[in-house]
Amino acid sequence: MLATFLIGLREGLEAALVVGILVAYLRRLGRKDALPKMWAGVGLAIALALGIGAVLTFGAYELTFKAQELIGGGLSLLAVAMVTWMIFWMQRAGRTMKATLEGGLDRALTVGGLWALVAIGFVSVAREGIETTLLLWSMVQAFGDAPSALLGALLGLAAAVIIGWLISRGAVKLDLRRFFAWTGGFLVIVAAGVLAYALMDLQEAGALPGPFTAAAPLDPTTGAVAIGWAAFPFGWAFDVSSAIAPSGPLAAVLQATVGFMPAMTWLQVSAWTLYILIVGSLYVRGLRSRRTPKPRASAEPESDTTSLSPQGAA
């Protein structure tokens, strides 16, 4: 629940801040008449995210086990790719997001007409909505506890809406740079776990070599799939299921936070480690580069991620 709560909170707050910027700008321009069109686009984006979630949840029951594993693994890989792109996009575009959104809204008001305003609202929320749906669906498949995971996500989204509203009213101040920095680091770890789960799905489907295929090395004594260094690269890296029950609370907490599973293949461990090392290093480097002072052409203070606040646009 904690993992999905934080995901819902971060992704929901991103969407809430984007919508808040657009609403504040339209009000500043005196174009409250355009708000219903923009809200229609936001509503369509939410409906699309819910529709994708419903198709993924209920459509899979009609598929064979192999097809479910293939689709689950593929969509989990897509979720990892989207989350990774969003993390680095937020690092680069956070400071200029407000100006970019307002520029797009100016063009829509000038030459776009009705559908352009609807599109602005739709695009502003659809990206976060689809990303959140895919990531949460992948995590629900991994955890096997849909009610708790979905409850955590709903609580996170509700908290994001409340926080976004309070920020827009000036009732609360949030250090958005620090918030997105910490939650971005958390998402790197979550994405590594989703990647490991995706590879397990693909190995179970036989799309990748692993313990479930003929490529698995066997223990000469027991005839079972080997475990440890003797099993490299297509066997089990470790199996501590006797100490940590796969369906127990400790396993659920470890899987939700760091992507650990009581039994993991060498392909999973290798992918998890490489993702953390590569993506984590690039993420930390991006954070450090933002803290490095740069020469300024004027005395005007440089904006930071806190400029995403709708109050800053008012």
Side-chain angles (χ1 to χ4, degrees), residues 218-299:
L218 302 179
D219 187 312
T221 303
T222 64
V225 177
I227 302 173
W229 286 109
F232 186 84
F234 300 133
W236 296 105
F238 59 83
D239 186 352
V240 293
S241 300
S242 58
I244 303 177
S247 58
L250 179 58
V253 170
L254 291 174
Q255 187 169 345
T257 52
V258 297
F260 171 86
M261 287 171 262
M264 297 182 70
T265 68
W266 274 111
L267 186 59
Q268 286 182 288
V269 171
S270 301
W272 187 94
T273 303
L274 288 174
Y275 185 91
I276 291 291
L277 290 176
I278 296 173
V279 177
S281 298
L282 292 174
Y283 181 72
V284 172
R285 181 183 300 176
L287 291 178
R288 289 177 176 174
S289 67
R290 292 188 59 183
R291 295 194 186 103
T292 303
K294 299 179 181 180
R296 300 178 183 177
S298 65

Side-chain angles (χ1 to χ4, degrees), residues 58-278:
F58 301 109
Y61 291 116
E62 303 298 327
L63 301 173
T64 64
F65 172 79
K66 182 176 181 179
Q68 290 183 35
E69 297 301 291
L70 285 173
I71 292 176
L75 290 176
S76 294
L77 290 178
L78 177 60
V80 171
M82 291 184 67
V83 169
T84 305
W85 177 83
M86 178 60 73
I87 289 171
F88 291 108
W89 178 85
M90 196 67 184
Q91 272 194 339
R92 295 193 311 271
R95 298 184 179 186
T96 60
M97 181 183 292
K98 177 173 172 286
T100 302
L101 289 171
E102 291 180 353
L105 200 52
D106 285 334
R107 289 190 294 273
L109 290 171
T110 303
V111 297
L114 168 64
W115 290 108
L117 289 170
V118 173
I120 287 287
F122 177 82
V123 172
S124 299
V125 177
R127 181 173 53 197
E128 281 82 4
I130 295 173
E131 175 190 337
T132 304
T133 298
L134 289 176
L135 186 56
L136 290 177
W137 182 82
S138 299
M139 295 183 73
V140 166
Q141 301 306 305
F143 301 158
D145 188 1
S148 295
L150 292 177
L151 177 60
L154 290 175
L155 290 175
L157 290 171
V161 171
I162 294 172
I163 293 173
W165 182 81
L166 290 174
I167 291 176
S168 70
R169 299 300 180 190
V172 66
K173 292 184 179 180
L174 179 66
D175 188 340
L176 296 178
R177 173 184 291 182
R178 182 169 297 179
F179 172 82
F180 285 119
W182 280 102
T183 54
F186 170 75
L187 280 181
V188 170
I189 299 174
V190 169
V194 173
L195 174 61
Y197 178 77
L199 295 181
M200 172 66 81
D201 271 355
L202 295 176
Q203 286 180 304
E204 288 182 340
L208 292 175
F212 314 99
T213 67
L218 302 179
D219 187 312
T221 303
T222 64
V225 177
I227 302 173
W229 286 109
F232 186 84
F234 300 133
W236 296 105
F238 59 83
D239 186 352
V240 293
S241 300
S242 58
I244 303 177
S247 58
L250 179 58
V253 170
L254 291 174
Q255 187 169 345
T257 52
V258 297
F260 171 86
M261 287 171 262
M264 297 182 70
T265 68
W266 274 111
L267 186 59
Q268 286 182 288
V269 171
S270 301
W272 187 94
T273 303
L274 288 174
Y275 185 91
I276 291 291
L277 290 176
I278 296 173

